[in-house]
Amino acid sequence: MRKVFLITVLLLSVLISVSFSQNVSISFFQESLTQALSDLAAQENITILTDSTVGGFITLTLNNVPISEALDLMLLPGGYSWKEIKPNVYFVGTASPSSNSFLYLASMSSYRLRYITSSTLLNLLPAVMKPYVFTSTSSPYLVLIGAPSDMKKAILSVIKDVDVSKMEAVFQVTVVEMDESYLRKLGMDFQYSQPSSVATENTINILNRTINLVYKVNNLSILSDIKAEAASGAVKILANPKVRIESGNTGTVKVSTTRNYSYRNTSGNLVVSSVSVGANVSLTPAISASGDVSLKVSETISGALENSGPVPNTMSNTLSTTFETQVGKTVAVGGMDFSTYEKSTARVPLLSDIPVIGYFFTQEKMRKVKKEIIVIITCESAGGVK
């Protein structure tokens, strides 16, 4: 029992002495790096080999630090690397792939990417890391990393940050045309500013709230009410697509409607003609890891402005805004107001229903109405691409 105890004490003593002997306390003042490494090797009874690239001067004070930390601090200014190639034998040099010392200082390992390709990774890596990452001819998702341990650790850290699933969102986009009077009926007035000229009569504003919680008509949400009113002509649904867009990319919805405009011909008679009004709605989401969505909405409007001649002046306006939204929330964007003409009929009760002569008790005329194009956007989902 006493022998076992003595052996244990001796082993502990050896381990403690070895532990203390591996700590370094040494100072250098404007000393060449090769000489400083030689002094360190002599003091600690180790061997340090250097390649021909090692040079420069060092001023440094080390106080009771491990040899590994001492070498890290001494070699840091010159960007050199070291490796223990045998017990108490260290090799110092430049770990560049073009250097003959690279194979002694670096280790090679493979890494399979999940979401991005190797070419994309190389575009994202800092320039100092790129020489240590090699693409594979067998797979666009396989890379080889050949670097010293500290550089390899840094490269893997960057890869884990950039090799992540792409974020995407699904939007229900409803583009509607409605009478301005109906818009006011819903309590939604997008006309916050007066137009400064005819060419800039279009406005775009945001109601950044959940519509089906704020705007209700007869206890029905505005989306349901709009669909119900579509048959009456007060509301026209121009498009109702569901769009899936990756974060940073742009999805576009193209719609068109008809604008009637009036002019007097050479005989002085009032003539009503029609032109097409087109609108391109572009959605560009930026999606955070938590699922919050910042959505940029741009609308390019092309159409015609009324004038006194048979050929209208053309216009093209691009309007954009950015707002925050979340899954389940609906946002309304007022995209464009324009004037058009609609046919209205006035009838004399009973008499207008008499065949042939009823025509004389019926009057048709064109009335000028104001229309608004509204884009209603609901974010249905947001998250990683599956």
Side-chain angles (χ1 to χ4, degrees), residues 9 20 32 100 121 140 147 163 201 229 268 272 281-282 341 352 372 384:
V9 171
F20 276 106
S32 70
N100 293 331
L121 174 63
D163 186 32
E201 68 182 35
E229 290 291 332
V272 176
V281 182
S282 298
Y341 287 85
S352 62
E372 177 100 22

Side-chain angles (χ1 to χ4, degrees), residues 2 27 38 53 55 151 182 185 206 218 270 274 277 287 309 362:
R2 292 180 62 186
S27 295
S38 179
T53 64
M151 177 61 75
Y182 181 71
K185 177 184 175 182
I206 288 296
N218 299 326
L270 186 66
S274 300
V277 176
I287 308 168
T362 302

Side-chain angles (χ1 to χ4, degrees), residues 69-328:
E69 184 177 341
L71 289 172
D72 286 340
L73 293 172
M74 293 174 68
L75 302 178
L76 178 63
Y80 301 110
S81 301
W82 65 271
K83 187 175 183 179
E84 188 175 12
I85 56 178
K86 288 184 179 181
N88 291 327
V89 178
Y90 299 85
F91 179 65
V92 175
T94 301
S96 169
S98 60
S99 170
N100 293 331
S101 305
F102 180 72
L103 295 177
Y104 298 97
L105 297 169
S107 61
M108 187 74 70
S109 61
S110 61
Y111 187 95
R112 183 167 292 276
L113 302 166
R114 296 185 61 189
Y115 302 104
I116 62 175
T117 63
S118 56
S119 59
T120 301
L121 174 63
L122 288 177
N123 290 332
L124 296 174
L125 283 176
V128 69
M129 295 182 178
K130 290 182 180 181
Y132 301 99
V133 180
F134 308 90
T135 59
S136 171
T137 57
S138 62
S139 171
Y141 294 95
L142 183 65
V143 293
L144 302 176
I145 305 172
S149 59
D150 55 344
M151 177 61 75
K152 182 180 290 187
K153 184 178 179 180
I155 292 173
L156 290 173
S157 177
V158 172
I159 290 177
K160 289 178 181 178
D161 288 339
V162 299
D163 186 32
V164 295
S165 174
K166 291 183 178 179
M167 304 295 285
E168 67 174 10
V170 176
F171 300 96
Q172 180 70 53
V173 183
T174 304
V175 185
V176 298
E177 174 192 321
M178 61 177 67
D179 290 354
E180 188 180 52
S181 59
Y182 181 71
L183 195 66
R184 292 199 183 99
K185 177 184 175 182
L186 296 177
M188 299 167 60
D189 187 2
F190 287 87
Q191 304 306 312
Y192 293 158
S193 58
Q194 295 295 326
S196 58
S197 66
V198 176
T200 59
E201 68 182 35
N202 302 319
T203 60
I204 183 167
N205 292 287
I206 288 296
L207 297 180
N208 194 357
R209 288 173 281 184
T210 306
I211 290 178
N212 59 7
L213 295 179
V214 176
Y215 297 102
K216 292 186 177 181
V217 179
N218 299 326
N219 294 324
L220 294 175
S221 72
I222 186 175
L223 294 174
S224 299
D225 194 62
I226 282 173
K227 292 177 181 178
E229 290 291 332
S232 70
V235 174
K236 183 193 295 184
I237 299 178
L238 304 180
N240 190 35
K242 188 173 291 188
V243 185
R244 184 185 300 271
I245 314 172
E246 288 187 359
S247 181
N249 292 345
T250 299
T252 302
V253 178
K254 296 182 178 181
V255 299
S256 64
T257 186
T258 301
R259 179 189 180 189
N260 298 320
Y261 69 98
S262 66
Y263 67 95
R264 294 193 179 275
N265 60 19
T266 55
S267 301
N269 297 323
L270 186 66
V271 179
V272 176
S273 188
S274 300
V275 292
S276 177
V277 176
N280 291 343
V281 182
S282 298
L283 309 177
T284 307
I287 308 168
S288 69
S290 61
D292 293 330
V293 179
S294 176
L295 185 62
K296 179 181 179 181
V297 180
S298 298
E299 296 185 50
T300 300
I301 310 298
S302 61
L305 298 174
E306 190 170 1
N307 61 22
S308 58
V311 181
N313 297 326
T314 59
M315 68 169 185
S316 180
N317 288 347
T318 298
L319 312 169
S320 65
T321 189
T322 301
F323 55 89
E324 305 296 323
T325 188
Q326 292 178 332
V327 174

